[in-house]
Amino acid sequence: MCGIVAYIGSKPARELLLEGLKRLEYRGYDSAGIAMLNGGLHVARTMGRVSGLEEMVIDDEAFNGTIGIAHTRWATHGEPSERNAHPQCDDGKKGHGIRIVHNGIIENYASLKTYLKERGHEFTSDTDTEVLAHLIGELYNGNLETAVQAALREVTGAYAIAVVCEEEPDVLVVARKGSPLIVGVGKDEYVVASDSSAIVAHTTQAFLLDDETVARLTRDSFRTTTVENVELTPEIQELEYSLEQIELGDFDHFMLKEIYEQPATLKTCMQGRVNAIDGNIVLGGVAEFAEQLSKAKRILLLGQGTALHAAMIGEYLFEGLAGIPTEVEFASEFRYRNPIVEEGTIAIAVSQSGETADTLAAVQEAKRRGAITLGAVNVVGSTISRDTDAGVYLRVGPEIGVASTKAFIGQVAVLTMLATYVGRRHHLGKELMTELLAALEAMPMHIEKVLGESDHILQITKGVVDRDNWLFLGRGTNYPVALEGALKLKEISYIHAEGMPAAEMKHGPIALIDKGMPVVIVATKGSQYEKVIGNMEEVRSRGGHIIAVATEGDTAIQKHCDDVIYVSDVPEPLQPLLSVIPLQLIAYHAAVLRGKDVDKPRNLAKSVTVE
Ligand code: G6P
């Protein structure tokens, strides 16, 4: 949600900032802006994409500076418009030429605005960010760092900010609370960004800012402090991402690239963890909680969006393989209920970004109520990964496509490993464990095979892509897969789709089925196969167009459906890792066929760091 990039050094900042913004554009893309100090303050802002901003500044000599801040926005306060775009400024008349880019929400902006108005400030935008800019301006007394610290002491809410001031043309101040910000450290230069994809092209040395920490950067020095001005010594680390991981390569879209990466990322996720020969799972990240995990009375899985669907699969796995009562909750609901967290509860936050505000708040709430908290998170060093007691990283590499794919596979794989890890300490016998792990190790190969069906899936999708309402059905562990298939289709092609348990269709949604309505049914071989066939007949007799995802060799299913996509025969608990792949491809092809912007779907953001 919103991308920030800032630079101070000796290179041309404009190119670096624009390139950084393009890499961060998946975080938000309804407006963009840049501010540069170059013998004065120069600002450009525009509605829409970074490419529009680039056109405005690329040939403008005023933007030939070596210090600047830039932003790509996903609107929270104030409609997307030029005046609400960042950078925002302090008061035009009595200001100090302060410009700020901000990610997050200043919760007490209304009271701060009233206070500032009383002191004569006039505002030109609807944003909370402008209020923060004015507050910094109001408190400015010749030292930007001190003014930012003082302003942040007055603020409640979340922020990642980068600030420059015309009166101090060689200083960049950045700060964060509850919203990520990374400082890349080069030779006599600093590149700051809300995620490392905008940094790795320039340096792989970086430090993560802690909550309520401010960094003052000049070309050859940095100083980090708390907002109370207590000096800190951050630890400089090597960033793990390589440039190749964040480049499109030969693919048309990041989503497609990431779908195709899944065999490899699943392998990396399991490497050194799954040992089929010994029938053993090694999870170093949670080793110190092994005993609590095996004695767990209840597992609580928390997430939003795709991560929630992975968590729902986790519920089947923990109950089925480990015999532990498990609940899944929308993190956004859990945090505002009065949840009962019994002793012996392990709460697991499932999240790609590790920054989703609701998931973070929910897992903090579970912790307050006595749960041990674990993270199943992708981004190393993210807030959830740092706030939980322990965790297992997904290790799927950076996910750029807004529609999550490889992270889903990573989340399901991590939950499968956790469930078998705990199950083995309960009643999961060695034989079944070995069988499951062997199948898990072979899964990348099976995924590869489904990917080979992409053209066939494209042809199937072509046949129904003009239809505006779809259903996705599944049972057992394939029910959350149906939810995920519907979500993927909605997100990127704007086709209305609903996912549900196949049996639930009879209780209302069946009324929607008319001739040719696409109904995607996951009908792989398993304990509920016959029942799913029954549901297919219910759809067929009402004229629905059935696309079945079925198990290789099941030729009998062809008479029940219009199209069939085969996947390998794998044990039932592992089927979601495979049955979701055709649904990802259907969504992708549908979006491309409809001419939609696959990687930047309207209204969405990759990481939602506000409630
Ligand atoms: C946003 C994204 C989804 C994602 C969800 C949870 O809505 O668009 O793709 O599933 O947030 O994100 P997380 O980073 O916590 O997995």
Side-chain angles (χ1 to χ4, degrees):
M1 142 137 0
C2 301
I4 289 179
V5 55
Y7 178 76
I8 181 165
S10 52
K11 291 185 189 139
R14 170 181 46 203
E15 286 70 15
L16 193 147
L17 294 175
L18 288 170
E19 180 217 301
L21 282 189
K22 284 181 195 159
R23 292 200 192 281
L24 294 179
E25 213 173 6
Y26 72 101
R27 298 178 70 96
Y29 32 83
D30 55 45
S31 54
I34 188 166
M36 184 88 67
L37 289 165
N38 181 28
L41 183 60
H42 308 280
V43 180
R45 298 186 300 179
T46 182
M47 271 279 279
R49 302 286 166 89
V50 174
S51 51
L53 181 70
E54 183 169 27
E55 276 170 30
M56 289 170 79
V57 299
I58 201 71
D59 295 321
D60 186 343
E61 290 196 355
F63 289 88
N64 281 349
T66 55
I67 167 173
I69 57 177
H71 192 259
T72 174
R73 178 169 186 249
W74 187 79
T76 53
H77 280 66
E79 52 165 25
S81 64
E82 192 198 321
R83 76 193 171 88
N84 286 336
H86 298 202
Q88 289 287 324
C89 62
D90 65 341
D91 194 293
K93 279 178 287 169
K94 50 184 229 162
H96 301 279
I98 285 167
R99 292 292 181 276
I100 177 171
V101 291
H102 167 219
N103 181 13
I105 285 187
I106 306 301
E107 284 165 7
N108 59 339
Y109 81 101
S111 57
L112 290 171
K113 196 168 185 174
T114 309
Y115 162 80
L116 289 162
K117 273 184 176 168
E118 280 162 15
R119 300 183 73 85
H121 288 254
E122 285 172 18
F123 292 86
T124 56
S125 83
D126 309 319
T127 65
D128 51 338
T129 306
E130 188 187 15
V131 175
L132 182 56
H134 281 238
L135 184 62
I136 295 169
E138 174 70 23
L139 299 167
Y140 186 77
N141 202 2
N143 184 329
L144 185 60
E145 179 194 30
T146 311
V148 170
Q149 288 169 337
L152 295 181
R153 289 198 293 270
E154 303 303 324
V155 154
T156 55
Y159 52 78
I161 56 170
V163 196
V164 290
C165 173
E166 195 170 6
E167 294 177 22
E168 291 176 67
D170 299 306
V171 175
L172 169 65
V173 174
V174 299
R176 81 150 233 167
K177 181 188 173 194
S179 203
L181 204 62
I182 303 167
V183 181
V185 183
K187 188 167 171 346
D188 295 338
E189 64 175 1
Y190 298 92
V191 189
V192 184
S194 37
D195 77 53
S196 46
S197 58
I199 297 176
V200 286
H202 308 285
T203 175
T204 53
Q205 299 290 300
F207 61 88
L208 299 168
L209 277 186
D210 279 327
D211 263 355
E212 299 193 69
T213 299
V214 179
R216 175 186 190 273
L217 310 165
T218 65
R219 287 187 173 75
D220 56 6
S221 72
F222 72 89
R223 187 178 109 92
T224 56
T225 57
T226 65
V227 294
E228 307 291 345
N229 197 30
V230 176
E231 201 153 338
L232 304 164
T233 316
E235 189 191 332
I236 296 181
Q237 304 165 4
E238 179 81 17
L239 292 175
E240 287 188 356
Y241 292 179
S242 69
L243 200 53
E244 195 190 43
Q245 285 179 299
I246 54 170
E247 299 275 333
L248 260 182
D250 292 336
F251 289 93
D252 290 337
H253 300 99
F254 278 106
M255 181 185 178
L256 190 64
K257 179 182 182 234
E258 287 157 8
I259 289 175
Y260 273 82
E261 278 175 354
Q262 290 176 119
T265 54
L266 177 57
K267 250 187 222 159
T268 316
C269 175
M270 296 189 298
Q271 214 153 34
R273 293 169 167 172
V274 174
N275 184 340
I277 296 171
D278 298 342
N280 199 11
I281 289 270
V282 179
L283 295 173
V286 293
E288 63 173 307
F289 289 96
E291 202 186 324
Q292 288 95 325
L293 266 166
S294 32
K295 288 188 183 149
K297 297 238 168 49
R298 188 167 292 276
I299 305 274
L300 176 62
L301 296 163
L302 300 162
Q304 295 288 142
T306 287
L308 184 89
H309 297 156
M312 290 172 79
I313 294 166
E315 180 179 26
Y316 286 90
L317 297 173
F318 274 107
E319 294 196 337
L321 301 175
I324 301 178
T326 304
E327 279 165 42
V328 187
E329 288 259 15
F330 281 104
S332 55
E333 292 299 314
F334 177 84
R335 61 182 292 197
Y336 290 116
R337 284 200 291 106
N338 185 14
I340 294 157
V341 178
E342 303 151 318
E343 209 188 319
T345 298
I346 310 255
I348 306 178
V350 185
S351 174
Q352 188 285 127
S353 61
E355 304 291 347
T356 301
D358 283 320
T359 309
L360 173 63
V363 79
Q364 285 170 337
E365 183 60 31
K367 194 181 222 171
R368 257 193 300 279
R369 290 171 186 251
I372 289 174
T373 58
L374 305 181
V377 167
N378 191 35
V379 178
V380 176
S382 55
T383 311
I384 292 176
S385 76
R386 290 196 282 175
D387 249 47
T388 39
D389 296 315
V392 181
Y393 280 120
L394 310 184
R395 295 198 202 141
V396 300
E399 190 179 65
I400 312 280
V402 170
S404 183
T405 52
K406 63 176 180 174
F408 176 78
I409 291 294
Q411 288 156 351
V412 176
V414 162
L415 293 172
T416 308
M417 289 189 281
L418 270 168
T420 47
Y421 177 85
V422 180
R424 190 70 189 98
R425 287 160 173 78
H426 283 245
H427 66 272
L428 185 58
K430 182 152 181 159
E431 208 173 311
L432 179 55
M433 179 80 170
T434 312
E435 187 195 322
L436 281 175
L437 297 191
L440 202 52
E441 277 190 337
M443 196 58 75
M445 182 186 79
H446 298 310
I447 296 179
E448 198 86 62
K449 223 161 138 192
V450 186
L451 296 176
E453 289 298 301
S454 183
D455 282 345
H456 174 220
I457 295 171
L458 169 63
Q459 294 315 319
I460 292 174
T461 312
K462 267 187 187 160
V464 284
V465 73
D466 56 334
R467 302 293 301 226
D468 288 330
N469 290 292
W470 294 39
L471 283 185
F472 286 74
L473 307 177
R475 281 175 176 257
T477 47
N478 282 319
Y479 151 50
V481 170
L483 290 176
E484 178 59 9
L487 178 63
K488 288 286 87 83
L489 190 69
K490 278 185 269 209
E491 280 182 311
I492 57 170
S493 68
Y494 320 142
I495 293 172
H496 174 244
E498 280 188 53
M500 68 193 66
E504 177 64 15
M505 176 192 60
K506 288 193 285 294
H507 301 283
I510 198 166
L512 295 169
I513 296 174
D514 60 1
K515 192 156 172 34
M517 179 185 192
V519 182
V520 180
I521 306 187
V522 185
T524 42
K525 285 272 166 134
S527 53
Q528 304 195 51
Y529 176 75
E530 308 297 341
K531 300 203 184 316
V532 177
I533 296 293
N535 300 131
M536 284 169 88
E537 281 308 312
E538 288 156 12
V539 173
R540 241 167 88 81
S541 55
R542 283 155 185 93
H545 180 111
I546 300 177
I547 302 169
V549 175
T551 303
E552 219 166 42
D554 180 9
T555 47
I557 203 166
Q558 289 169 9
K559 62 176 180 292
H560 301 286
C561 59
D562 298 271
D563 298 300
V564 57
I565 304 161
Y566 285 112
V567 297
S568 305
D569 192 0
V570 299
E572 206 170 344
L574 306 185
Q575 286 180 1
L577 288 167
L578 209 50
S579 50
V580 75
I581 310 288
L583 309 196
Q584 295 172 342
L585 285 168
I586 288 174
Y588 175 77
H589 290 312
V592 173
L593 288 166
R594 283 190 166 216
K596 304 300 178 206
D597 189 343
V598 173
D599 285 334
K600 297 187 190 71
R602 71 181 177 208
N603 303 339
L604 294 183
K606 180 75 186 152
S607 168
V608 180
T609 53
V610 293
E611 284 185 48

